[in-house]
Amino acid sequence: MTVEVKICGLDRAESVDAAVNAGAKFLGFVFYPPSPRNLTPDQASGLTVRVPAHVKSVGLFVNPTDRMISDTLNVNELDLIQLHGEETPERLIEIKKITNLELIKVIKISNIRDLNSIYEYESMSDWIMFDASAPEDLEGALPGGNALSFDWEILKDAQINRPWMLAGGLNSKNVINAIKISGARVVDVSSGVEKKPGVKSTQMIESFINIVQGK
């Protein structure tokens, strides 16, 4: 079975084009000001317009207001909304009504008990994403994109009733092992294809996708 790739945190035209041409299935655009990958809605519009119909555009938000979402969707055609904050199940229902888009809820994992969150969110989510939970003492930690991974064995026998993605510290060196251990069919990478925080490498994007797809 083919494993699909999501490249997240894209903020330059050449990176978008490289991801599309290499075969990424999902492209992520970050709307979260503290992130080095943050875009304004207008900045993103020059990038999302480059995404062909067979590739899904994903807007990443952290505890967004209705206004933040509407301002973004007014100038960007997105296919999915990724929620990377502390959004409640009730908030997901509200966002679904507002946008009528598929939702990805990120669940942050530090130990097997964190899997209990699946059952809170799966009925109102179209996708679940598993990412590493950042330690509380990690200076400058973001909701995601911290180059941290978790124990993929946790997912091996998990009962997950939604399509799901694996994120957290993935790169060209560890992604094949991560797929084998976790059973992931979609992998998400951001910092693992960057030369420095927020600056994607077209070569690293192409290499990551080629390795996942066995090219």
Side-chain angles (χ1 to χ4, degrees), residues 147-149 152 166 168-181 189 208 211:
L148 298 173
S149 59
W152 303 310
L166 177 65
L170 299 178
N171 56 52
S172 292
K173 293 181 180 179
N174 66 15
V175 67
I176 294 301
N177 197 38
I179 291 167
K180 288 179 180 178
I181 293 172
V189 65
F208 184 90
I211 286 170

Side-chain angles (χ1 to χ4, degrees), residues 3-214:
V3 177
E4 303 288 0
V5 175
K6 176 175 176 284
I7 306 291
C8 197
L10 295 162
D11 65 354
R12 290 168 174 81
E14 59 266 30
S15 301
V16 171
D17 294 346
V20 169
N21 293 334
K25 179 67 173 178
F26 304 87
L27 303 186
F29 303 93
V30 175
F31 303 98
Y32 180 59
S35 171
R37 307 165 186 96
N38 179 62
L39 298 168
T40 66
D42 285 338
Q43 288 171 334
S45 67
L47 302 176
T48 56
V49 73
R50 305 177 74 89
V51 182
H54 68 277
V55 178
K56 303 294 186 183
S57 293
V58 182
L60 187 157
F61 297 88
V62 179
N63 304 318
T65 64
D66 291 356
R67 178 67 181 271
M68 291 168 63
I69 295 172
S70 62
D71 284 352
T72 303
L73 292 178
N74 283 341
V75 291
N76 291 275
E77 187 172 338
L78 300 178
D79 299 294
L80 301 99
I81 300 291
Q82 178 175 325
L83 297 167
H84 223 298
E86 306 305 321
E87 302 88 3
T88 64
E90 292 76 19
R91 180 60 178 146
L92 264 67
I93 293 171
E94 293 174 356
I95 292 172
K96 184 81 168 181
K97 289 179 179 178
I98 292 167
T99 66
N100 198 32
L101 295 176
E102 292 189 14
L103 302 183
I104 304 170
K105 181 65 182 98
V106 178
I107 294 177
K108 297 162 192 175
I109 303 292
S110 59
N111 58 62
I112 197 166
R113 293 187 298 276
D114 294 324
L115 291 180
N116 291 331
S117 295
I118 296 173
Y119 311 112
E120 294 180 52
Y121 288 100
E122 63 183 2
S123 66
M124 67 286 298
S125 300
D126 299 279
W127 290 81
I128 297 292
M129 178 183 288
F130 298 103
D131 198 357
S133 179
E136 291 183 6
D137 60 353
L138 180 63
E139 186 176 352
L142 295 166
N146 294 303
L148 298 173
S149 59
F150 61 93
D151 182 1
W152 303 310
E153 291 276 358
I154 289 172
L155 299 178
K156 194 170 184 181
D157 298 314
Q159 297 298 312
I160 308 167
N161 298 316
R162 284 286 182 270
W164 59 276
M165 304 180 183
L166 177 65
L170 299 178
N171 56 52
S172 292
K173 293 181 180 179
N174 66 15
V175 67
I176 294 301
N177 197 38
I179 291 167
K180 288 179 180 178
I181 293 172
S182 68
R185 288 292 168 256
V186 184
V187 291
D188 175 282
V189 65
S190 183
S191 59
V193 291
E194 291 180 343
K195 295 177 284 189
K196 60 181 182 179
V199 181
K200 294 290 186 289
S201 161
T202 56
Q203 184 176 2
M204 292 171 75
I205 289 172
E206 292 164 358
S207 176
F208 184 90
I209 295 172
N210 287 342
I211 286 170
V212 171
Q213 297 183 348

